[in-house]
Amino acid sequence: MKEKKSYSLSLANKKDFNNINEWVYQTLRTSIMCGEIRPGVALTIRGLAEKLDVSSMPVREALRRLASESAVDITDSRRVVVPLISPDKFKELFSLRILLETHAAELALPYISGSHIEELKALDEAVDASYSDGNIVSGSLANQAFHRYIYKQNPVQVCMPMIESLWLQLGPFARVALSKIEKYYEYDRHKEAIDAIQQRDAFALRRAIEADIRDGLSVFKNIDKIYQDLKSS
Amino acid sequence: MKEKKSYSLSLANKKDFNNINEWVYQTLRTSIMCGEIRPGVALTIRGLAEKLDVSSMPVREALRRLASESAVDITDSRRVVVPLISPDKFKELFSLRILLETHAAELALPYISGSHIEELKALDEAVDASYSDGNIVSGSLANQAFHRYIYKQNPVQVCMPMIESLWLQLGPFARVALSKIEKYYEYDRHKEAIDAIQQRDAFALRRAIEADIRDGLSVFKNIDKIYQDLKSS
DNA sequence: AATTATATTATGTGATCACAATTTTAGAAT
DNA sequence: ATTCTAAAATTGTGATCACATAATATAATT
């Protein structure tokens, strides 16, 4: 058996899920989202199965599910790989984030009440706390939790899976790119979003969400150079 | 063995695909899209496997993939069902179609050249031919082919899987709903879209696509009543 | 006759296995 | 040293099986 680089794969206890395949899926998903699995390296079913101490079956199902969310690529030779996306695609993913998330926020607004706003403030504080700790990964996850909490209030859920897919596609590249950037500041427009919600101002909410996403993109200024470096490595 | 209602499942030869699971997926997908599988009836792995003359494995993978595209629901008791979507959700799916497809069309425009326009005209004629034959299913598929051909010209492909997912979610309900409508006229704005493309007018193209989708929605006027009928049956 | 309790059948899930295709390694030839 | 070739190891795929759970049918009770 060959020695392999070990990326920690842990989430919650396997027993907490009624299906093992669901647990495997969630574990791999967060692992990809957080950039623990580097773009380009091939994932093998047996390898993951052994690492997670399950049979190959749940791994296969999880990988196919991730493939249909564009989180992994299945090449012609049937190898599974976390793709390294091009700068063009990266920017397009951000365009779609703006398109879908402003839409989702506006539709969710009528369903957000006082108690939800308290929760949003708490979630926003969690974001700030993570970033001031310098923890990029948990900050990013907390940021997603903030956004998700808004959109989820809409009882008609069609956007959310698509938005999740966008986040998932952006995750790996964003993570490796951020590690190349020596220093950056993480702004967010969560306060403005909360204000807009409290004043029930749909347009202001859209603006806040859009600005928040744009700020997120602006961190990746020299993205083309980063991409070239990553591709050659 | 109990007698079961038989819906024809056929697409292309199983051998034409390098993977059986891919063939199973495509077969089930078109079957759902065309409304051959009625919303609400439970799909069993073994049942489909027997009907398609494959083992349960490729069926399982196909069903999970369809579930992650929201084409089927997996209930708490792990039954797989084509969902009957609510009128609100139906309308929201159309909103998202407009949002994503106008965006996709605009981004694709710079990549559409003369030869593509000839192909588009041919595809449009195929749509008209199907509808004048009164063949709703092939007309709908031809219509999708027309739209897909436009969006696909963009080398950066991120929208297309999402749009396909929207079409897939709309398919079953649209099909059963159409069968309840005694007579309707199928307008389309494909000529206007082609004109806009030839004049390289992005805004006009957006308008044509949006109008085309809205026309499609307008067919379902009494959608709430149809939904009530379907739910009780 | 309706309802509850029990037994039986179906069904989804995860594991294991054989086989073909791919990848990797090792060796040979230039 | 480099390139090409053959052998070995690895890997994805599809099939089959055991087991637990859910759905259905049957029997019993009121």
Side-chain angles (χ1 to χ4, degrees):
Chain A
M1 182 61 60
K2 195 172 54 176
E3 192 71 36
K4 286 175 188 174
K5 228 176 306 171
S6 124
Y7 30 82
S8 79
L9 290 178
S10 60
L11 177 76
N13 197 297
K14 204 182 300 183
K15 299 284 184 179
D16 297 345
F17 292 75
N18 45 3
N19 287 4
I20 291 189
N21 70 58
E22 185 67 25
W23 173 77
V24 171
Y25 166 76
Q26 292 292 345
T27 305
L28 291 179
R29 186 179 199 284
T30 55
S31 204
I32 291 170
M33 179 98 80
C34 297
E36 291 180 32
I37 300 176
R38 285 245 313 287
V41 300
L43 297 174
T44 65
I45 294 174
R46 284 179 172 82
L48 292 171
E50 192 184 353
K51 192 180 293 289
L52 297 170
D53 196 35
V54 295
S55 84
S56 50
M57 176 106 356
V59 176
R60 285 167 65 173
E61 298 191 330
L63 285 179
R64 282 202 184 278
R65 189 167 159 193
L66 290 166
S68 82
E69 294 176 296
S70 304
V72 299
D73 268 356
I74 298 184
T75 69
D76 297 330
S77 66
R78 302 175 177 179
R79 300 302 287 267
V80 178
V81 170
V82 176
L84 177 65
I85 60 181
S86 70
D88 278 349
K89 192 161 182 176
F90 191 79
K91 291 166 193 162
E92 169 64 359
L93 286 166
F94 264 92
S95 296
L96 286 173
R97 277 198 63 192
I98 292 171
L99 208 62
L100 288 178
E101 293 192 37
T102 54
H103 177 83
E106 182 170 0
L107 290 188
L109 179 56
Y111 302 97
I112 303 178
S113 63
S115 62
H116 299 132
I117 291 173
E118 291 312 307
E119 178 67 18
L120 277 175
K121 286 178 179 169
L123 286 168
D124 180 40
E125 280 175 26
V127 176
D128 291 340
S130 290
Y131 279 127
S132 60
D133 284 359
N135 194 332
I136 299 173
V137 172
S138 76
S140 173
L141 291 175
N143 183 58
Q144 286 177 11
F146 179 86
H147 283 255
R148 188 185 292 111
Y149 191 79
I150 294 176
Y151 314 143
K152 277 278 188 184
Q153 301 313 317
N154 183 355
V156 178
Q157 281 299 324
V158 268
C159 295
M160 207 55 233
M162 297 181 175
I163 293 170
E164 294 275 0
S165 170
L166 294 176
W167 291 348
L168 192 49
Q169 291 178 70
L170 284 168
F173 186 81
R175 205 49 36 84
V176 285
L178 280 184
S179 69
K180 302 274 179 185
I181 299 174
E182 51 281 353
K183 73 170 186 176
Y184 67 95
Y185 305 96
E186 193 68 36
Y187 306 105
D188 71 52
R189 310 295 189 102
H190 295 175
K191 307 279 186 296
E192 288 143 75
I194 293 174
D195 285 346
I197 290 170
Q198 283 179 314
Q199 299 178 11
R200 318 217 70 72
D201 184 340
F203 190 63
L205 177 57
R206 291 185 67 109
R207 270 189 324 220
I209 295 291
E210 173 164 356
D212 187 60
I213 297 172
R214 282 197 199 286
D215 283 356
L217 175 58
S218 70
V219 171
F220 304 92
K221 262 301 174 219
N222 52 347
I223 179 178
D224 296 87
K225 186 182 178 308
I226 293 170
Y227 175 72
Q228 291 303 329
D229 291 352
L230 288 174
K231 209 170 63 173
S232 53
S233 78
Chain B
M1 181 63 58
K2 198 170 56 177
E3 193 71 36
K4 286 176 189 175
K5 228 176 306 171
S6 123
Y7 30 83
S8 79
L9 291 178
S10 60
L11 177 77
N13 197 298
K14 207 181 298 185
K15 299 285 187 179
D16 296 345
F17 291 75
N18 45 3
N19 287 5
I20 292 190
N21 69 58
E22 184 68 24
W23 173 77
V24 171
Y25 167 75
Q26 291 292 344
T27 305
L28 291 178
R29 186 181 199 285
T30 56
S31 205
I32 291 170
M33 179 96 84
C34 297
E36 290 180 31
I37 300 176
R38 285 244 313 286
V41 300
L43 298 173
T44 65
I45 294 174
R46 283 178 173 84
L48 293 171
E50 192 183 354
K51 192 180 291 291
L52 297 170
D53 196 35
V54 296
S55 83
S56 50
M57 175 107 355
V59 177
R60 286 166 64 173
E61 299 191 330
L63 285 180
R64 284 204 181 277
R65 189 168 161 192
L66 290 166
S68 82
E69 294 176 296
S70 305
V72 298
D73 268 356
I74 300 184
T75 69
D76 296 330
S77 66
R78 301 177 179 178
R79 301 301 289 264
V80 177
V81 170
V82 176
L84 177 64
I85 58 181
S86 71
D88 279 349
K89 191 161 181 176
F90 191 78
K91 291 166 193 163
E92 168 64 359
L93 285 165
F94 264 92
S95 295
L96 286 173
R97 275 198 64 192
I98 292 171
L99 208 63
L100 288 178
E101 293 191 39
T102 54
H103 177 82
E106 183 171 359
L107 290 188
L109 180 55
Y111 300 98
I112 303 178
S113 63
S115 62
H116 299 132
I117 291 172
E118 291 312 308
E119 178 67 18
L120 278 175
K121 286 177 179 170
L123 286 168
D124 181 40
E125 279 175 27
V127 176
D128 292 341
S130 291
Y131 280 128
S132 60
D133 284 0
N135 194 331
I136 298 173
V137 173
S138 77
S140 173
L141 290 176
N143 183 58
Q144 287 176 11
F146 178 85
H147 283 255
R148 187 185 293 111
Y149 190 79
I150 295 176
Y151 314 143
K152 276 279 188 184
Q153 301 312 317
N154 183 353
V156 178
Q157 281 298 324
V158 267
C159 295
M160 207 56 235
M162 298 180 173
I163 294 170
E164 293 274 2
S165 170
L166 294 176
W167 291 347
L168 191 49
Q169 291 178 69
L170 283 168
F173 186 82
R175 205 49 37 83
V176 287
L178 280 184
S179 70
K180 302 273 178 184
I181 298 173
E182 51 280 352
K183 75 170 186 177
Y184 66 95
Y185 304 96
E186 193 66 36
Y187 306 105
D188 71 54
R189 309 294 190 101
H190 295 175
K191 307 278 186 297
E192 287 144 74
I194 292 173
D195 284 347
I197 290 170
Q198 284 179 314
Q199 298 177 13
R200 319 218 69 71
D201 185 340
F203 190 63
L205 176 58
R206 291 184 68 108
R207 271 189 324 218
I209 296 291
E210 174 164 357
D212 187 61
I213 297 171
R214 282 197 198 285
D215 283 356
L217 175 58
S218 71
V219 171
F220 305 92
K221 261 304 174 217
N222 51 347
I223 179 177
D224 296 87
K225 185 180 178 308
I226 294 170
Y227 175 72
Q228 291 302 328
D229 291 352
L230 287 174
K231 208 170 64 172
S232 53
S233 78

